[in-house]
């Protein structure tokens, strides 16, 4: 019986033309024997501008919905995610060769690991790439470690939420992505870290495209008052999860 890793992508009309590059990176993935992938694409909106970029492939599922931001789109996409693992792939990003296989390998070798992240390279418009010099060592990430680093480094985590691969049952238990206008993926990452162990892979798993239209490049993303509000509710959620004392176990 095949096991499945679901690649989940939220897309809005301005970035839809990047989908073919994401698809090419997905087609190049070689999975371990007994595994297959499903690509769930959820449009954040109901336009006529996205469907033309969705590949004609039986492994690809596409749907639309009312605009609510990437977190809402991803969470709505979970309704069609039929697999044990859920891998995030933003519409404008690209997986590196072997990325999915490395995630699957971690979950297979480390049964108590609930989520994985990996190294990222920024893909610049001129074709060059830039890395991050603060990556942790390869290996498990203990509960609370991401929150501690995030607090000490101006609300910046040491691992990138755009590379998350998560056990689907835990993702559902935490309610998917946070209902925030931005930082919804960071909020999920910190919630995952509050209740479970993760893992960081030093090998590059994602090319993170930098382009003028991306959400994190908009002025609203850096608005001081909104950012403070987002960080406050993310932090409060983590503290409440810790106070509850619940710890996720894949066997439970």
């Amino acid at each position: 019986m095949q096991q499945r890793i679901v690649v989940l992508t939220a897309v809005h009309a301005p970035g839809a033309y990047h989908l073919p590059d994401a698809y090419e990176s997905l087609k190049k993935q070689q999975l371990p024997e007994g595994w297959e992938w499903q690509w769930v694409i959820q449009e954040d909106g109901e336009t006529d501008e996205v469907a033309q970029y969705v590949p004609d492939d039986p492994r690809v599922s596409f749907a639309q919905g009312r605009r609510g931001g990437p977190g809402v789109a991803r969470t709505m996409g979970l309704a069609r995610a039929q697999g044990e693992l859920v891998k995030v792939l933003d519409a404008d990003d690209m997986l590196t060769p072997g990325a999915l296989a490395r995630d699957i390998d971690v979950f297979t070798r480390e049964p108590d690991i609930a989520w994985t992240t990996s190294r990222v390279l920024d893909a610049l418009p001129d074709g060059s790439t830039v890395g991050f010099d603060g990556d942790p060592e390869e290996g498990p990430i203990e509960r609370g470690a991401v929150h501690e680093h995030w607090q000490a480094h101006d609300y910046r985590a040491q691992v990138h939420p755009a590379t998350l691969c998560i056990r689907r049952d835990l993702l559902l238990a935490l309610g998917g992505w946070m209902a925030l206008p931005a930082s919804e993926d960071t909020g999920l990452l910190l919630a995952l870290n509050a209740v479970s162990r993760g893992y960081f892979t030093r090998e590059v798993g994602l090319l993170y495209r930098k382009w003028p239209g991306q959400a994190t490049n908009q002025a609203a993303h850096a608005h001081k008052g909104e950012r403070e509000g987002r960080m406050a509710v993310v932090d409060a959620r983590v503290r409440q999860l810790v106070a509850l004392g619940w710890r996720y176990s894949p066997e439970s």
Side-chain angles (χ1 to χ4, degrees):
M1 184 174 180
Q2 291 286 96
Q3 293 179 281
R4 179 179 290 175
I5 182 169
V6 178
V7 179
L8 182 56
T9 296
V11 60
H12 67 329
Y17 70 97
H18 290 304
L19 283 173
D21 287 341
Y23 180 55
E24 286 302 314
S25 77
L26 184 51
K27 285 198 302 181
K28 293 176 182 176
Q29 300 296 308
Q30 295 186 346
L31 302 189
E33 185 177 353
W35 283 85
E36 64 182 5
W37 58 258
Q38 174 196 22
W39 193 16
V40 172
I41 304 172
Q42 181 75 27
E43 181 182 352
D44 181 29
E46 299 171 293
T47 73
D48 297 323
E49 302 172 45
V50 175
Q52 61 184 310
Y53 296 104
V54 176
D56 182 14
D57 187 320
R59 298 169 295 180
V60 178
S61 171
F62 172 66
Q64 300 171 300
R66 289 182 292 170
R67 288 201 63 183
V72 171
R74 291 191 203 102
T75 302
M76 288 296 293
L78 279 176
R80 308 193 314 280
Q82 302 301 315
E84 299 89 338
L85 304 175
V86 177
K87 174 72 172 180
V88 177
L89 178 62
D90 289 345
D92 50 358
D93 294 340
M94 293 158 285
L95 298 170
T96 62
L100 297 186
R102 289 190 291 273
D103 286 331
I104 291 169
D105 179 64
V106 171
F107 288 111
T108 302
R109 289 187 293 105
E110 306 272 356
D112 65 328
I113 293 297
W115 51 274
T116 65
T117 54
S118 67
R119 189 168 177 239
V120 174
L121 292 180
D122 287 345
L124 305 182
D126 65 2
S128 63
T129 58
V130 178
F132 172 60
D133 60 7
D135 291 320
E137 294 299 317
E138 167 132 4
I141 300 174
E142 301 301 330
R143 290 176 64 206
V146 179
H147 185 229
E148 182 179 344
H149 185 280
W150 179 80
Q151 288 180 302
H153 293 83
D154 191 31
Y155 306 127
R156 296 184 185 278
Q158 74 273 46
V159 293
H160 206 305
T163 68
L164 275 168
C165 188
I166 314 159
R167 293 190 187 272
R168 181 175 176 270
D169 57 352
L170 176 57
L171 179 57
L172 290 169
L174 291 175
W177 284 261
M178 291 190 74
L180 296 171
S183 307
E184 76 293 331
D185 52 358
T186 298
L188 173 60
L189 170 65
L190 290 170
L192 291 165
N193 181 237
V195 300
S196 61
R197 298 175 80 227
Y199 193 96
F200 178 75
T201 300
R202 287 278 300 183
E203 192 162 348
V204 176
L206 187 76
L207 296 178
Y208 183 81
R209 193 192 303 267
K210 294 285 191 177
W211 61 289
Q214 68 187 138
T216 54
N217 203 40
Q218 307 308 307
H221 186 76
H223 184 277
K224 185 175 184 295
E226 183 192 283
R227 183 173 186 265
E228 290 177 349
R230 297 196 315 260
M231 300 307 109
V233 73
V234 167
D235 184 63
R237 184 193 194 196
V238 170
R239 294 179 183 278
Q240 288 302 314
L241 285 169
V242 172
L244 287 172
W246 178 69
R247 179 169 184 165
Y248 171 79
S249 171
E251 293 80 24
S252 63

